[in-house]
Amino acid sequence: MTAMIPILTRPEGSMKDSIPHANIASTFTSIDLVPDQDSDAFYFRSLEKRNIKLNELQIAAVRHVGGAALIVAGAGSGKTSVLTSRAGYLIAMGHVQPHNLLLVTFTSKAAEEMKQRISLLPGLTVRMAREVVTGTFHSIFYRILRSEGFDQKIMSSENHRQTIIKIILRKMNLHDAYEPETLLSLLSSYKSNMMSIDDLPNKSPAEKEQREVFRQYEAWKRDNHYMDFDDMLLEAYMLLQRSPNMLWKLQERFQYVMVDEWQDTNPIQYELIKMLTGNRQNLFVVGDDDQTIFTFNGADSSIILNFDQVFPKAKVILLDVNYRSTNSIVGLGNEVIRFNQMRRLKTLQATRSGEHHPYFLRPSTTDDEAMMVVSKIKHEVQAGRRNYRDFAILHRTISSSRAMFEQLVMDGVPFMSFSMGVSFYEQSIVRPVIDYLRLSLNPKLQSAMEGIIPSLYLNREKSLTFIYTHELKEPLEKPLQHLLKLPDLKSFQLQQLGERLRMVDKLKDMKPQLAIQEIRRTYDAFLDANERQQLTLHKEMVKETLSEIEASAKRFDKVAEYVDFIDHVIQKNSEMEQLRKDPTSDALSLLTIHKAKGLEFPVVYVIGASESILPHSSALDADGRKDMISDKKGPEKVAAAIEEERRLAYVAVTRAMQEVYISSPSYYRGDQVEVSRFFMEPYGNKKKDPAAKQQSAQKEETFPTWECTKTGCRGWMRITSVKHAPKEKVCPLCNEKMKRSKRTVVV
């Protein structure tokens, strides 16, 4: 079996059969371009012996010594080789002392990798490489703060920060007026723009309230000796502002500054870097405006777009040769991103062609999508054509990967999950919902009682102690009923508790999806995710997760069956945890597009490439979201948000080396959704072309299938060879028998 639905060479409903492949770039390298008589030839010959063969523009970037430079590094264009080779060039040819070189990276892992690669360069030793200062913005400037006596504890948990804000809001009786995540996002935006509490707007009543909340939040941190990540940079900025002598010493120390992933820089990071470079302006930055995908963390794309206006003497070098992907994949990436308006114009070239076109799938649902993708991957591995480690499955959000995660676990496919390895049902938001179901089946289940008590607006420890104490004296069939005698309960609390206990009683006899809907009537309010609250990006993610529980439950007829399935997924996932701890294991990667940034895989599946998933609904509704901080309003804000989503699509496509599959479910959580605009635009959309509409008569294909016999299970598989099909088949979802049938699909 290779497929359950057709694999297409263009998106369903598109007009063009194909799009342009990228041009094949020149094969000339430093071997051809740097003659032996050049004064720095020995350096490039040494690089070549280490299999580092640079093209013409890469050589120009490496040779840049003094003054500012912007290296616009397209996807897969070898920016790491350029950065490290240039660091080595400065030391070997420019006679720069290693300790005078500062290299800023986006992650700690990247910093370690850079230092390791520098140590292998010609003329450099491990000791010299260690003297090069490398690290992230936060680690470097926190080290500076520590050297000046700052010793606060780091407040690294977002939940911790939100909890403090919630307490402050309750104390000010504003808990119904503001969302903690919105306020923290606003405060982070202020700080990334170098504004202290005293600088904040203070005219309208809302601005005065917000400023007071922020003042109390800062006071709490001072009293408890805490500092958050925003403080690291703001405190460093203010320290350097008031300490010109210290700034001068740092400028003398860091005479050459190099920054990776420049497109992800925010305003305060930019200002700190400009302060360090001083009048020398020996600033060498590398980035790609088409890969700016972290604006929710404060990244400002205008910083890379306007670099040569701020530094008018800067050299701008475009690395436009992609060494990662085939020309068909680079061609798709070029066509996807060219619809963005706010970008530097560039068209990447490729270095190799391939036999595969980009492929497109149009499954009915995310569950069908998961079955097909996993089946296709297993077939490739079993046929000996691929290893599991060759594959990556990329998704927009954690909740949209639920079906894929389950299918991989149920089919026993080894995979590396980049979401801490927990299953969907073990997430903190999901667990209490499942605990309600568990409690309806077993009212004495202690773990389930522990899970739901906070959603009853009761203290967990106090309530459990009360239950266990009274259970010893007077055992009840449903121990939660002891809570009705909990001291100091107000009348409305008694009423709510009674209603919740009656709800638990009836859940086990309901269809699972209806049971989830019943639980959500109160649980959504507990999470502040009900419709009456202002919608924020955080709440959108919460709502998506809760809706995904419903989508999962829809496949089952009985609560007991659904809970058994969940336990099976959790158990299977736990069994695979040991495998994930071994980085050398043969396992595919399941991760968000954001976490795939900077990675590459032979085969990439981009799942959920449908409207409202990618682009995400938060972008489509950007104008109504105050937590999405932007200087733009109305249609401009929405357009900017959609451009970032398109950059995400571009990043996803350009992770693929040899094959890329774009999957666009027709239905998402019960709603019909179109193929993502990001993949329709390059091929032309028939629905937007009046002439094409009259020519778009749909064709149907009927084919033999295996269909699960279990009521409520929607498992099915396509039979690709009736002659060689087995006599019996077991459903991969529920392990029940399957029967032969037929299906008709639109192709």
Side-chain angles (χ1 to χ4, degrees):
M1 181 190 70
T2 58
M4 293 182 291
I5 59 174
I7 296 178
L8 310 171
T9 55
R10 66 181 188 182
E12 181 186 273
S14 61
M15 296 170 61
K16 300 178 184 176
D17 289 328
S18 63
I19 56 176
H21 288 189
N23 292 333
I24 300 296
S26 165
T27 58
F28 285 179
T29 69
S30 55
I31 297 174
D32 315 286
L33 301 168
V34 180
D36 289 338
Q37 57 266 35
D38 283 5
S39 59
D40 56 4
F42 84 92
Y43 183 76
F44 291 99
R45 297 293 92 85
S46 299
L47 289 180
E48 290 155 13
K49 289 177 182 177
R50 292 160 175 79
N51 204 32
I52 302 173
K53 301 168 186 175
L54 306 177
N55 66 33
E56 183 177 7
L57 292 170
Q58 290 173 329
I59 293 168
V62 169
R63 280 175 163 167
H64 179 81
V65 175
L70 167 63
I71 312 303
V72 182
S77 61
K79 69 180 179 67
T80 303
S81 293
V82 168
L83 269 169
T84 53
S85 297
R86 197 255 181 172
Y89 191 91
L90 286 175
I91 297 168
M93 299 303 304
H95 308 296
V96 175
Q97 295 301 311
H99 66 269
N100 291 140
L101 181 57
L102 173 65
L103 176 52
V104 185
T105 62
F106 195 60
T107 65
S108 300
K109 182 180 177 182
E112 286 303 313
E113 181 189 346
M114 294 278 190
K115 190 163 285 194
Q116 174 66 22
R117 291 176 69 160
I118 290 172
S119 70
L120 300 174
L121 292 171
L124 274 72
T125 64
V126 173
R127 182 188 62 79
M128 293 170 72
R130 285 177 182 162
E131 289 181 7
V132 176
V133 179
T134 62
T136 64
F137 278 100
H138 288 94
S139 68
I140 288 167
F141 287 101
Y142 185 55
R143 273 181 262 169
I144 293 171
L145 291 176
R146 296 277 290 185
S147 71
E148 291 298 301
F150 287 75
D151 61 351
Q152 290 95 325
K153 295 172 285 187
I154 302 304
M155 200 172 183
S156 57
S157 168
E158 188 63 21
N159 284 337
H160 191 182
R161 298 175 73 214
Q162 288 189 20
T163 299
I164 302 307
I165 294 291
K166 283 181 179 179
I167 292 170
I168 294 169
L169 289 173
R170 283 203 167 271
K171 189 168 66 173
M172 295 176 63
N173 199 29
L174 294 173
H175 52 282
D176 291 328
Y178 297 103
E179 312 299 344
E181 63 273 13
T182 303
L183 291 176
L184 285 170
S185 183
L186 185 61
L187 180 58
S188 182
S189 177
Y190 286 140
K191 288 185 176 181
S192 73
N193 283 281
M194 291 129 322
M195 297 172 67
S196 67
I197 299 300
D198 293 336
D199 299 323
L200 302 189
N202 192 31
K203 294 181 179 179
S204 70
E207 288 172 345
K208 291 178 180 178
E209 288 174 349
Q210 292 167 12
R211 182 167 161 169
E212 179 59 23
V213 172
F214 296 149
R215 189 193 65 76
Q216 292 193 32
Y217 173 66
E218 297 300 320
W220 183 92
K221 284 189 294 181
R222 280 195 306 274
D223 293 344
N224 291 275
H225 209 57
Y226 270 105
M227 172 187 287
D228 61 26
F229 285 113
D230 293 327
D231 296 327
M232 288 183 190
L233 301 185
L234 185 59
E235 290 290 348
Y237 174 76
M238 293 191 295
L239 174 65
L240 297 183
Q241 286 276 62
R242 64 177 180 262
S243 307
N245 188 52
M246 182 184 183
L247 176 58
W248 178 82
K249 288 180 180 179
L250 289 171
Q251 290 171 344
E252 287 301 301
R253 168 73 188 278
F254 301 127
Q255 296 180 16
Y256 291 84
V257 178
M258 303 170 68
V259 187
D260 191 15
E261 304 289 3
W262 186 248
Q263 75 279 350
D264 296 324
T265 307
N266 67 30
I268 193 169
Q269 292 168 341
Y270 190 20
E271 289 302 317
L272 284 166
I273 289 297
K274 285 194 291 185
M275 291 170 79
L276 288 187
T277 56
N279 292 330
R280 285 192 182 92
Q281 294 195 356
N282 288 332
L283 176 59
F284 184 95
V285 301
V286 181
D288 181 9
D289 54 292
D290 288 336
Q291 297 186 68
T292 305
I293 59 173
F294 290 101
T295 58
F296 63 90
N297 278 341
D300 184 348
S301 60
S302 68
I303 291 173
I304 189 170
L305 292 173
N306 300 329
F307 183 86
D308 44 340
Q309 295 177 29
V310 177
F311 297 92
K313 295 182 180 179
K315 178 179 283 188
V316 179
I317 299 173
L318 170 61
L319 304 183
D320 63 351
V321 179
N322 180 301
Y323 291 93
R324 173 186 299 147
S325 312
T326 62
N327 60 340
S328 63
I329 294 172
V330 177
L332 176 60
N334 285 338
E335 293 301 302
V336 166
I337 201 62
R338 75 179 177 86
F339 285 88
N340 268 7
Q341 301 299 311
M342 298 301 295
R343 63 185 292 259
R344 290 177 178 267
L345 293 178
K346 65 185 84 70
T347 302
L348 298 192
Q349 304 175 74
T351 55
R352 57 197 177 90
S353 57
E355 59 180 303
H356 297 283
H357 296 277
Y359 298 114
F360 298 87
L361 319 175
R362 185 65 162 153
S364 178
T365 65
T366 54
D367 290 295
D368 291 338
E369 175 182 65
M371 287 182 66
M372 180 186 182
V373 170
V374 175
S375 173
K376 180 80 165 63
I377 291 172
K378 285 177 65 179
H379 180 78
E380 290 290 296
V381 173
Q382 290 164 1
R385 289 190 287 268
R386 295 282 185 189
N387 295 310
Y388 283 120
R389 69 171 67 92
D390 294 335
F391 296 92
I393 302 173
L394 308 185
H395 49 90
R396 173 61 178 85
T397 62
I398 293 294
S399 64
S400 63
S401 69
R402 186 271 312 163
M404 189 63 68
F405 192 109
E406 285 177 12
Q407 193 68 48
L408 291 167
V409 169
M410 298 299 291
D411 275 17
V413 173
F415 70 102
M416 309 287 283
S417 171
F418 288 66
S419 56
M420 304 305 291
V422 298
S423 71
F424 173 78
Y425 305 102
E426 295 168 277
Q427 293 182 32
S428 58
I429 294 172
V430 179
R431 271 201 317 269
V433 177
I434 308 306
D435 282 336
Y436 272 107
L437 299 181
R438 295 185 192 281
L439 208 59
S440 74
L441 299 171
N442 180 3
K444 291 182 177 289
L445 188 60
Q446 180 177 330
S447 61
M449 285 190 284
E450 290 178 2
I452 74 160
I453 282 175
S455 70
L456 302 174
Y457 299 95
L458 299 175
N459 178 276
R460 179 188 276 121
E461 288 72 24
K462 180 180 176 182
S463 300
L464 286 173
T465 300
F466 188 83
I467 290 172
Y468 299 148
T469 301
H470 284 72
E471 188 69 3
L472 288 173
K473 301 174 186 176
E474 182 188 357
L476 296 178
E477 184 181 343
K478 300 169 183 175
L480 269 183
Q481 290 180 335
H482 288 299
L483 293 177
L484 293 169
K485 299 178 182 178
L486 196 66
D488 302 323
L489 283 181
K490 295 181 172 54
S491 57
F492 78 90
Q493 289 178 302
L494 271 173
Q495 180 182 346
Q496 286 183 342
L497 186 56
E499 290 173 356
R500 203 74 61 86
L501 293 174
R502 287 191 291 274
M503 178 194 77
V504 171
D505 284 345
K506 65 181 182 181
L507 290 177
K508 67 176 181 294
D509 297 321
M510 302 173 71
K511 282 187 174 291
Q513 185 184 20
L514 297 178
I516 299 297
Q517 291 171 353
E518 184 68 28
I519 295 167
R520 288 192 63 183
R521 287 190 178 92
T522 51
Y523 187 65
D524 281 27
F526 169 71
L527 291 175
D528 292 334
N530 56 341
E531 291 292 349
R532 289 173 11 197
Q533 295 286 335
Q534 180 187 358
L535 195 58
T536 66
L537 183 57
H538 170 77
K539 283 188 172 39
E540 179 74 2
M541 297 304 179
V542 171
K543 287 182 64 181
E544 278 191 4
T545 301
L546 297 175
S547 297
E548 194 61 40
I549 307 176
E550 281 193 44
S552 170
K554 190 176 181 180
R555 299 169 292 169
F556 299 87
D557 282 333
K558 295 182 179 179
V559 167
E561 290 178 351
Y562 183 40
V563 171
D564 284 344
F565 169 76
I566 291 169
D567 289 339
H568 185 49
V569 169
I570 293 173
Q571 180 188 344
K572 285 261 194 179
N573 184 53
S574 178
E575 292 170 1
M576 296 176 67
E577 192 57 36
Q578 200 60 38
L579 177 75
R580 297 192 187 110
K581 293 177 181 177
D582 179 7
T584 64
S585 61
D586 184 24
L588 66 79
S589 297
L590 176 68
L591 66 169
T592 64
I593 301 171
H594 284 98
K595 290 189 175 179
K597 174 77 170 62
L599 303 178
E600 60 185 26
F601 307 90
V603 185
V604 166
Y605 282 85
V606 183
I607 62 172
S610 299
E611 291 289 303
S612 81
I613 314 173
L614 181 68
H616 192 262
S617 54
S618 62
L620 301 175
D621 302 330
D623 190 41
R625 297 170 189 273
K626 292 187 177 180
D627 60 324
M628 296 180 71
I629 308 301
S630 172
D631 57 354
K632 298 177 175 62
K633 303 293 181 185
E636 284 190 4
K637 186 176 181 181
V638 174
I642 289 175
E643 288 214 349
E644 175 146 0
E645 293 290 304
R646 189 178 282 107
R647 291 193 290 268
L648 270 174
Y650 173 73
V651 167
V653 167
T654 55
R655 299 312 94 196
M657 301 165 69
Q658 299 163 11
E659 298 179 60
V660 65
Y661 293 79
I662 314 295
S663 177
S664 307
S666 301
Y667 289 87
Y668 185 55
R669 295 171 185 150
D671 295 327
Q672 190 168 2
V673 287
E674 300 290 338
V675 175
S676 169
R677 69 189 70 188
F678 304 144
F679 299 103
M680 292 301 292
E681 289 162 340
Y683 287 87
N685 192 338
K686 285 183 179 179
K687 291 188 177 180
K688 294 187 177 181
D689 188 324
K693 284 184 180 180
Q694 298 177 7
Q695 304 170 13
S696 61
Q698 294 180 319
K699 298 179 181 178
E700 292 184 343
E701 178 188 355
T702 301
F703 48 81
T705 61
W706 289 106
E707 305 278 346
C708 185
T709 58
K710 184 177 180 180
T711 305
C713 181
R714 302 175 66 230
W716 66 279
M717 296 179 177
R718 183 170 183 168
I719 300 174
T720 55
S721 173
V722 176
K723 182 178 179 181
H724 297 101
K727 293 183 179 180
E728 295 183 349
K729 192 76 176 174
V730 174
C731 177
L733 276 182
C734 66
N735 293 322
E736 291 292 321
K737 286 185 178 181
M738 304 184 86
K739 64 179 181 180
R740 290 195 183 196
S741 184
K742 291 183 179 180
R743 280 210 174 198
T744 301
V745 299
V746 176
V747 295

